Amino acid sequence: MRKFLTWSLILTLFVGVTSCSSSDDSVYRQENKLNDFIGQWETNELSYDFGGSTHTYKFSEMPPVTNPDRIVREIITISYNTNTDKYYATLVQFTGRGEEIPAVTSEIDKDNTATFEAIKRSYILTDKTTLLSIYPFTHFGTTLDITVSYNKIQ
C-alpha cells in the first residue's frame, strides 16, 4: 500500500508540473506571434470556394471590374498600444476611382479577430511576409467565406 501511495504521489506531481509548463509556453508563443503581425499589410489576392471549385483573383481585379466604386485595394495596419496593452487593426480601403474610404480601427481579440462594420475578420499569419484574413461575404443572397491575402509593406 505504501508503494502505491508513493507512486501515486510521484505520478500526480509529474502530471501537475508538466501541465503548468505547457500552458505557460502557449501563452508566451501567442504573445510573440501577435508581435509578428505589427506593420502595414496591402491586399494581394482574394479567393473563395463556390460550385465545387476555388476562385482566385488579384484583389484589384476581382469582379465586377467595371464598377468604379468597388474596393480595389486595402491596407491594414496592425499595431500594439502599450497604454492599453492591446493590439489593434486599422483598415483603409480604396475604390476604383482612387478615393480613400475613411479608416476604421478595431481591437484584435485573443482569437486574432477584428470586427469592422459588424464583419468579423480573422487574421492568420502564414509567415512574416504573408497575412490572411478570412471573413464572410454575402452577395445576391449567398454567403461565402472569403480569404484575402496581404503582403507586408512595412
Side-chain angles (χ1 to χ4, degrees):
M1 181 70 174
R2 188 174 229 181
K3 282 185 180 181
F4 175 75
L5 289 174
T6 301
W7 281 109
S8 295
L9 180 60
I10 290 170
L11 183 60
T12 302
L13 286 172
F14 178 76
V15 170
V17 169
T18 304
S19 296
C20 290
S21 176
S22 175
S23 65
D24 292 346
D25 287 347
S26 66
V27 170
Y28 177 76
R29 283 194 297 273
Q30 178 69 10
E31 288 173 357
N32 283 335
K33 185 169 179 146
L34 285 174
N35 284 332
D36 290 339
F37 281 74
I38 294 173
Q40 282 193 322
W41 303 84
E42 183 174 18
T43 45
N44 180 31
E45 291 183 333
L46 175 139
S47 63
Y48 58 90
D49 293 331
F50 184 72
S53 61
T54 300
H55 304 269
T56 302
Y57 301 93
K58 282 290 191 191
F59 191 88
S60 61
E61 298 169 359
M62 67 178 181
V65 292
T66 57
N67 180 356
D69 293 322
R70 71 185 174 85
I71 305 301
V72 297
R73 182 174 167 228
E74 291 182 345
I75 293 180
I76 294 198
T77 303
I78 309 286
S79 60
Y80 174 74
N81 185 315
T82 55
N83 293 329
T84 62
D85 193 32
K86 294 180 181 178
Y87 290 86
Y88 294 91
T90 300
L91 173 66
V92 178
Q93 297 175 314
F94 301 87
T95 68
R97 298 178 197 266
E99 297 168 346
E100 182 177 318
I101 296 173
V104 290
T105 299
S106 173
E107 179 183 330
I108 299 175
D109 68 18
K110 63 180 173 64
D111 297 322
N112 295 346
T113 301
T115 302
F116 300 107
E117 298 176 6
I119 297 175
K120 291 186 175 199
R121 293 185 179 202
S122 297
Y123 293 99
I124 301 167
L125 190 66
T126 58
D127 58 46
K128 291 190 179 191
T129 61
T130 306
L131 178 73
L132 297 179
S133 177
I134 303 167
Y135 57 94
F137 178 77
T138 302
H139 187 64
F140 293 120
T142 301
T143 300
L144 304 170
D145 282 333
I146 301 291
T147 301
V148 178
S149 68
Y150 296 82
N151 293 328
K152 193 162 193 174
I153 56 176
Q154 283 187 10

